Amino acid sequence: MSTATDTVSSIAPARRATIERTTSESSIRLCLNLDGTGESAISTGVPFYDHMLTALSRHSLIDLEVEAHGDIDVDVHHTVEDTAICFGEALRQALGNKAGIRRFGEATVPLDEALARAVVDISGRPYLIHKGEPVGQEFHLIGGHFTGSMTRHAFEAIAYHSGICLHIDLIRGRDPHHIVEAQFKALARALRAAVEPDPRVSGIPSTKGSL
Ligand SMILES: [Mn+2]
């Protein structure tokens, strides 16, 4: 029978984080709640990236607030990369010691003709494998402002700064917008599974005892 004390002690600390990061190229405030409902308020000054981060939040059920001001008059590069760095850092902080999580997540997501797969291991060891985009995807200016090459760069920043192992494969796709969005949605669904508490896991899900 559980007592009031047991109930209180069994409540895990809130899995939230707030990151504030300012450089000569960008100023970013990002708040994230792993146990959210997919609510977001995103403003990066890069409309297509706002669309991708909104999809990332909605389909991961990670609540996400982003207010980014960057030198997008130069190029979207710094703002996109730095926001991804903040997302990765927030993910790492919010996960804490990673006790009780599923750790692994995998999702294959279609968007019309595009199909993308993401596989995540919350391993504590940053790694990215990103394959399958058609030749020339990196040169598309999606929405007239989002360079296709930034898709991989954002995934790199997320993986390296959160300390997760991330494999993303574009299985097929033709439309540049669909190709990026399918990958962000696959990442979202894989992350949703990987960061989710697993009631059968006690402690840190690693034979090493730490992640
Ligand atoms: Mn860069």
Side-chain angles (χ1 to χ4, degrees):
M1 193 173 121
S2 91
T3 65
T5 309
D6 289 335
T7 305
V8 169
S9 64
S10 70
I11 295 172
R15 300 197 304 161
R16 300 167 185 257
T18 297
I19 305 294
E20 298 197 36
R21 182 181 190 274
T22 298
T23 71
S24 61
E25 296 168 343
S26 69
S27 176
I28 295 163
R29 184 171 192 277
L30 182 149
C31 305
L32 160 163
N33 176 12
L34 296 183
D35 300 301
T37 58
E39 291 295 310
S40 63
I42 314 286
S43 174
T44 66
V46 183
F48 182 75
Y49 197 39
D50 289 358
H51 178 38
M52 292 304 100
L53 294 177
T54 301
L56 180 59
S57 167
R58 178 63 54 88
H59 297 291
S60 65
L61 303 181
I62 295 172
D63 289 349
L64 184 61
E65 287 176 34
V66 180
E67 182 78 39
H69 300 278
D71 56 355
I72 56 174
D73 50 323
V74 174
D75 181 43
V76 305
H77 190 118
H78 301 140
T79 304
V80 171
E81 178 176 4
D82 295 352
T83 300
I85 288 171
C86 292
F87 181 83
E89 182 63 28
L91 191 55
R92 190 184 62 74
Q93 286 188 22
L95 280 164
N97 70 359
K98 309 183 182 82
I101 62 168
R102 294 196 190 282
R103 177 177 166 180
F104 298 99
E106 179 173 3
T108 307
V109 172
L111 200 177
D112 294 351
E113 89 296 343
L115 184 66
R117 177 176 59 227
V119 185
V120 168
D121 178 9
I122 310 283
S123 60
R125 286 172 289 120
Y127 213 100
L128 175 72
I129 298 287
H130 180 237
K131 291 188 181 293
E133 289 188 339
V135 173
Q137 170 70 16
E138 65 269 43
F139 306 123
H140 280 290
L141 270 183
I142 300 164
H145 58 267
F146 185 90
T147 319
S149 63
M150 292 311 298
T151 307
R152 178 179 299 174
H153 212 19
F155 295 153
E156 285 169 343
I158 291 170
Y160 297 165
H161 289 268
S162 62
I164 69 175
C165 172
L166 177 58
H167 289 245
I168 298 184
D169 291 275
L170 184 81
I171 296 166
R172 55 180 158 269
R174 186 186 67 84
D175 178 80
H177 183 132
H178 288 172
I179 285 170
V180 183
E181 187 168 342
Q183 293 179 83
F184 269 91
K185 285 177 172 169
L187 171 60
R189 290 291 300 220
L191 268 181
R192 173 183 166 178
V195 305
E196 193 172 48
D198 182 341
R200 295 181 66 195
V201 170
S202 67
I204 295 162
S206 166
T207 53
K208 296 194 298 289
S210 74
L211 286 172

